[in-house]
Amino acid sequence: MTSRKEQCLPLLTPEEVKTRLKQQGMTLKQWAELNDFRYQAVSQVLRGVNRATFGDGHRIAKALGLK
């Protein structure tokens, strides 16, 4: 599996993540459930409450394309 760094994909902002989910017709809660994360944790990462430096927050940020 190649990492995001190896793929050279640009990082997204929280607003870009929300826009992409909306374009796909998916709610944040649906995305969280599909990716086996707690909705509250995903919301905290997008709002910047969780700085996503380690643990679930970091995994969420990577999955969303924020890191």
Side-chain angles (χ1 to χ4, degrees), residues 2-59:
T2 59
S3 71
R4 175 171 282 284
K5 192 173 186 178
E6 291 170 0
Q7 295 172 346
C8 297
L9 297 177
L11 297 179
L12 303 174
T13 66
E15 288 304 316
E16 290 171 328
V17 170
K18 291 176 195 176
T19 300
R20 285 187 178 190
L21 288 175
K22 192 173 190 177
Q23 289 172 344
Q24 295 171 358
M26 185 178 296
T27 66
L28 196 57
K29 187 171 186 171
Q30 290 170 328
W31 185 90
E33 289 173 359
L34 284 172
N35 290 279
D36 295 324
F37 293 118
R38 292 184 0 257
Y39 165 74
Q40 185 176 11
V42 175
S43 176
Q44 288 173 348
V45 169
L46 279 179
R47 290 182 292 126
V49 174
N50 181 328
R51 297 193 52 186
T53 54
F54 59 90
D56 279 343
H58 187 73
R59 286 187 284 279

